[in-house]
Amino acid sequence: MKKDLKFFWTLFISTFTLSAFTFGGGYVIVSLMKKDFVEKKHWLENDEMLDLTALAQACPGALAVNASFIAGYHIAGYPGAFVTLLGTVSPP
């Protein structure tokens, strides 16, 4: 998959909208992130998302921020992690 500016913009908008329009905390955001990243966009496999969620739960901090950071890193390396982190923390 080619990772150009449009790809990173899509990654940012995905995490931004999840964070901005979701109520209920990190577990709700992670389940919707799974639906978006695994089922719609096919950026991750189901088992990968499950592993990333478990890893995010083990890290200190907010679950939604940790999960988006780890998923972004897994999808597109450090630039992806930075973009997803910005998308998740910008709305609050």
Side-chain angles (χ1 to χ4, degrees):
M1 175 188 319
K2 185 179 176 187
K3 293 174 177 64
D4 55 356
L5 188 58
K6 183 178 178 185
F7 172 80
F8 287 111
W9 180 250
T10 305
L11 191 61
F12 174 80
I13 290 298
S14 295
T15 54
F16 184 87
T17 54
L18 282 173
S19 184
F21 300 113
T22 305
F23 297 100
Y27 291 103
V28 175
I29 291 175
V30 169
S31 66
L32 292 175
M33 188 182 304
K34 177 193 170 282
K35 189 175 205 172
D36 190 29
F37 290 179
V38 174
E39 297 171 11
K40 289 183 182 176
K41 294 187 173 78
H42 303 288
W43 288 339
L44 297 170
E45 297 293 323
N46 193 29
D47 291 339
E48 291 174 327
M49 189 65 197
L50 184 63
D51 292 342
L52 297 176
T53 303
L55 192 63
Q57 288 175 326
C59 297
L63 177 65
V65 175
N66 292 342
S68 67
F69 182 83
I70 294 169
Y73 178 78
H74 189 72
I75 293 168
Y78 286 113
F82 179 71
V83 167
T84 56
L85 181 68
L86 274 176
T88 303
V89 300
S90 293

